[in-house]
Amino acid sequence: MARFFTSDLHLGHRNIARYEPGRAEAAGVEPLTGSADDETQASLDTFLIDRWNEVVSHDDEVWVLGDVVMGQLDRTLNQLRRLFGRVVLVPGNHDRVWAGNPRPEQWRERYLDAGIDEIVPGTTSLELADGTVVDVDHFPYKGDSGPGDRFPDWRPEDRGRVLLHGHVHSNWRTNGRMINVGVDVWDYRPIPEPRVIELVEAAAGG
């Protein structure tokens, strides 16, 4: 079994390719000035799902550090069944199961039924294959996808470890001891653990 990391797929998000035009370009759709229609959104979602399944096998494990699906969940949650591997979700602010959203527990079973295998709330310590311990969360210690730092009460405590996170989209890959695993800066694919270990070594040494 191999392990991978990713975040911020935003499957079903009608405006994500307008906010992240590189995603539209990579998926081969026209640049968006408004919300995506059904056909365009289906192309964007299928592009990400295909990229995922190109590198992940059914026996692998993928840690998704938040914001996996958006939009009308009756439609978008079903997309999760198309993803290969065992999916561990650390919820982000756009996930209905995030603790900062109203009544997250009422959504838990729906996410699990749709293909999420495990939901890990909040900041979690994780031992990588080389024995290094990192923290994982949707949020970085500081920084955001736009101006200002939103959700300050939900930011992880800096305990001196390297942090794997999402949330910032294309703003950076690495920033000090913060490593953004979001799809928009990693060729729209999950990152294999050996590459993550290399990034962690570089971040810890910096």
Side-chain angles (χ1 to χ4, degrees), residues 183-198:
V183 293
D184 293 293
V185 290
W186 293 105
D187 200 28
Y188 308 99
R189 293 181 174 93
I191 314 169
E193 186 172 28
R195 179 65 174 126
V196 169
I197 290 172
E198 291 176 356

Side-chain angles (χ1 to χ4, degrees), residues 61 64 90 110 151 188 194:
E61 180 176 85
V64 180
V90 179
R110 289 192 62 185
F151 310 105
Y188 308 99

Side-chain angles (χ1 to χ4, degrees), residues 126-204:
L126 185 66
E127 183 176 337
L128 300 178
D130 69 339
T132 303
V133 176
V134 297
D135 282 346
V136 298
D137 199 308
H138 174 65
F139 299 106
Y141 295 132
K142 59 182 179 180
D144 214 298
S145 57
D149 284 6
R150 297 171 296 159
F151 310 105
D153 294 341
W154 295 95
R155 298 297 175 125
E157 177 187 353
D158 187 345
R159 298 183 285 189
R161 291 178 178 150
V162 173
L163 175 71
L164 309 182
H165 67 88
H167 189 66
V168 299
H169 288 272
S170 57
N171 276 1
W172 69 71
R173 276 188 168 188
T174 61
N175 184 354
R177 285 181 290 105
M178 300 182 292
I179 299 173
N180 172 26
V181 300
V183 293
D184 293 293
V185 290
W186 293 105
D187 200 28
Y188 308 99
R189 293 181 174 93
I191 314 169
E193 186 172 28
R195 179 65 174 126
V196 169
I197 290 172
E198 291 176 356
L199 294 166
V200 170
E201 289 175 349

